[in-house]
Amino acid sequence: QGQLVYSGGGSAQAGGSLSVSCTAPGFTANMCGMHWFRQVAGKEREWISGLTRDGRTEYADSVKGRFTISADRGEDTVHLQMKNLQPADSAVYSCVPYGGQCPIYVAGQGTQVTVSS
């Protein structure tokens, strides 16, 4: 099992920008895709974006046009660039690699994003 490593996140004012990144060892070699989720304490986890192994991207309506998912496959890292952030975007963000050849990863705790009005 590999360990997911998060970076980025933090705090921003409404209208600001942040990015979060997830490094998954073996992500590229195993041709994984990646999902990003977010969760607020006491609420269900929300899927927000996906990147297929052939590079197609998908977004939830709540973030479409504001968030961009991309991969740096040389670094086994997937980024989520977030702009025009709103307080409703405050959550713990986590990634989930997926795909038939993708190994099982130790999830980790995700990374906190806090947006103040």
Side-chain angles (χ1 to χ4, degrees):
Q1 293 182 339
Q3 172 76 52
L4 297 174
V5 178
Y6 295 95
S7 60
S11 299
Q13 296 283 332
S17 300
L18 287 172
S19 64
V20 293
S21 299
C22 169
T23 298
F27 169 77
T28 299
N30 291 291
M31 299 181 69
C32 300
M34 186 74 81
H35 290 299
W36 277 100
F37 293 84
R38 65 187 181 187
Q39 188 167 21
V40 176
K43 294 187 177 181
E44 289 190 2
R45 188 174 68 165
E46 177 190 11
W47 175 86
I48 56 172
S49 185
L51 176 70
T52 67
R53 65 182 187 180
D54 58 356
R56 287 180 291 113
T57 59
E58 298 175 302
Y59 301 93
D61 288 343
S62 59
V63 305
K64 195 174 295 182
R66 301 187 299 121
F67 289 15
T68 302
I69 189 171
S70 63
D72 181 346
R73 290 194 177 270
E75 297 293 330
D76 283 338
T77 299
V78 176
H79 307 287
L80 188 67
Q81 303 279 351
M82 305 177 289
K83 64 180 183 180
N84 192 19
L85 285 163
Q86 302 300 316
D89 295 317
S90 297
V92 174
Y93 285 69
S94 61
C95 63
V96 178
Y98 74 95
Q101 299 176 356
C102 206
I104 297 172
Y105 290 88
V106 176
Q109 296 184 347
T111 185
Q112 178 70 48
V113 170
T114 302
V115 184
S116 56
S117 57

